[in-house]
């Protein structure tokens, strides 16, 4: 077994899940495809190297201008998920422009993902062969791969994204990373960015001419293989799957980038930090979370005395969700607080949790409860103080006039 701490730049072997295909035709001439999971390994080495795992299918990756291990540098083998599949060129035969190779090719794709979603890589690996195609769609007559077979291949085209998942707030312009490399000079490339389930492309361009439509991709950077796309200022409708498609005939590679909109809520109370009520007075207290996205939010009220922490406020109720024009939401939690002298000094806290928040937002107020007649006493004392102050000021003025 490989040790998980083995770094990618030292890697010589990577376990993969190889999904093989068996194609057949039914009585009506319809194509039936059976997917067969098989154990396989990517082995990095030289031509004619013996397989490290002789009991499994080995895809021997020999040196080319593209080094797959370079883009995996720093990752641990245990953090990588690898998938291998056959690739059909739909009957299109093109001699790959690399010297010293056979006329014909068999194609496979390898997709390597980081389990923590730090990157995703798609590569086309090519098995050079002197066997001509059968003249029909290649997927109808796949060459049989035996259980312990070693397939000598090389990397011909590679795509990668370092942003498989992007989180963005509203009115921001995140960059969706996409980069590609081809193993020969001046390839004819068609690049396209589109949103999943949308017909119209967001951006398209052809290389080396640079002709294209749309915006969001730097043509200067594109010529170096950097096809990263900067979105328009985000709205809630911007959320979804974006596809970076690279066409180098007969290969068409695609990487997906998931854009998630996360707007944190603004939290407010309808009372100040100190709420003064007379005994038996009832106050409707509201905690509101406003302007958040996506929908899921958690609001709850709790109370505590001077020392002990109390339970949640059982009588708290939630309003129904309301939606703003920009697609964000609003929700409130409220309860009716009846003032009792025994509750004076008690603190009530509203906690709001949402995926856009690193920690819950908490808003607290303290209730002060006075006796029913206490307000009259306070008013009378206040009135008396005012009368005394005014009387003293009057006496001082009279004395000054007599003195002068």
């Amino acid at each position: 077994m490989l040790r998980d701490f083995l770094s990618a730049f030292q890697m010589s072997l990577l376990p993969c899940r190889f999904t093989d295909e068996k194609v057949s035709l039914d009585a009506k001439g319809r194509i039936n495809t059976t997917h067969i999971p098989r154990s396989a390994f990517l082995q990095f080495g030289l031509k004619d190297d013996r397989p490290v795992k002789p009991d499994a299918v080995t895809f021997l990756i020999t040196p080319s201008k593209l080094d797959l291990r370079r883009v995996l540098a720093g990752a641990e083998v245990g953090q990588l998920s690898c998938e291998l599949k056959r690739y059909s060129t739909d009957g299109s035969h093109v001699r790959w422009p690399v010297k010293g190779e056979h006329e014909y090719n068999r194609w496979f794709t390898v997709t390597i993902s980081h389990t923590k979603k730090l990157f995703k890589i798609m590569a086309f690996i090519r098995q050079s062969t002197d066997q001509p195609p059968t003249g029909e769609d290649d997927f109808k007559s796949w060459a049989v791969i035996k259980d312990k077979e070693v397939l000598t291949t090389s990397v011909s085209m590679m795509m990668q994204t370092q942003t498989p998942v992007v989180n963005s707030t509203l009115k921001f312009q995140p960059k969706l990373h996409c980069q590609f490399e081809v193993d020969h000079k001046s390839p004819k490339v068609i690049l396209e960015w589109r949103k999943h389930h949308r017909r119209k492309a967001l951006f398209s361009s052809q290389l080396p001419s640079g002709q294209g439509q749309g915006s969001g991709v730097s043509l200067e950077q594109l010529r170096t293989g950097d096809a990263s796309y900067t979105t328009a200022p985000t709205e809630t409708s911007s959320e979804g799957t974006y596809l970076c498609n690279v066409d180098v005939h007969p290969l068409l590679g695609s990487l997906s980038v998931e854009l998630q909109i996360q707007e944190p809520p603004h939290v407010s109370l309808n009372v100040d930090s100190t709420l003064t009520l007379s005994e038996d007075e009832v106050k409707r207290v509201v905690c509101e979370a406003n302007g958040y996205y996506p929908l899921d939010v958690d609001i709850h009220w709790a109370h505590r005395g001077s020392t002990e922490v109390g339970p949640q406020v059982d009588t708290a109720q939630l309003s129904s969700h309301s939606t703003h024009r920009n697609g964000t939401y609003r929700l409130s939690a409220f309860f009716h607080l009846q003032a009792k002298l025994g509750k004076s000094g008690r603190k009530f806290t509203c906690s709001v949790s949402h995926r856009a928040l690193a920690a819950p937002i908490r808003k607290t107020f303290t209730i002060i409860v006075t006796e029913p007649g206490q307000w009259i006493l306070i008013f009378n004392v206040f009135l008396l103080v005012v009368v005394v102050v005014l009387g003293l000021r009057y006496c001082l003025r009279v004395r000054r006039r007599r003195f002068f």
Side-chain angles (χ1 to χ4, degrees), residues 121-270:
I121 299 165
M122 179 186 182
F124 288 88
I125 58 176
R126 177 174 56 88
Q127 181 191 26
S128 180
T129 177
D130 57 0
Q131 297 296 318
T134 60
E136 58 183 359
D137 291 335
D138 48 6
F139 65 87
K140 293 181 180 179
S141 56
W142 291 126
V144 175
I145 298 176
K146 299 178 182 179
D147 286 341
K148 301 180 181 182
E149 188 170 347
V150 177
L151 291 82
T152 301
T153 66
S154 60
V155 180
S156 298
M157 175 174 152
M158 186 163 56
M159 299 175 63
Q160 64 165 310
T161 178
Q162 296 174 0
T163 58
V165 178
V166 176
N167 294 317
S168 174
T169 57
L170 294 174
K171 299 180 181 179
F172 190 66
Q173 291 184 269
K175 178 178 284 190
L176 313 184
H177 177 256
C178 181
Q179 195 159 348
F180 68 91
E181 298 178 79
V182 185
D183 67 349
H184 56 273
K185 294 182 178 179
S186 303
K188 292 183 179 180
V189 179
I190 300 175
L191 169 76
E192 183 182 75
W193 273 98
R194 65 171 58 246
K195 195 175 180 183
H196 195 42
H197 297 313
R198 297 283 181 88
R199 292 184 179 182
K200 185 177 180 180
L202 300 167
F203 177 86
S204 62
S205 182
Q206 298 182 21
L207 294 177
S209 68
Q211 297 178 347
Q213 295 180 340
S215 60
V217 177
S218 167
L219 292 178
E220 181 179 354
Q221 294 296 321
L222 181 57
R223 291 187 174 92
T224 67
D226 186 352
S228 299
Y229 174 72
T230 301
T231 73
T234 52
E235 304 173 350
T236 55
S237 59
S238 303
E239 189 172 62
T241 302
Y242 291 73
L243 302 175
C244 176
N245 300 324
V246 177
D247 186 343
V248 180
H249 190 67
L251 308 179
L252 175 59
S254 182
L255 280 178
S256 63
V257 177
E258 191 73 23
L259 177 58
Q260 299 178 349
I261 303 299
Q262 297 185 0
E263 186 70 12
H266 302 281
V267 181
S268 62
L269 303 180
N270 69 331

Side-chain angles (χ1 to χ4, degrees), residues 14 29 53 56 90 100 121 131 182 275 278 281 283 362 386 389-390:
L14 180 64
K53 297 289 184 179
D90 293 327
I121 299 165
Q131 297 296 318
V182 185
L275 174 63
S278 60
E281 186 178 354
K283 176 70 176 179
R362 294 182 173 88
V386 172
V389 171
L390 292 177

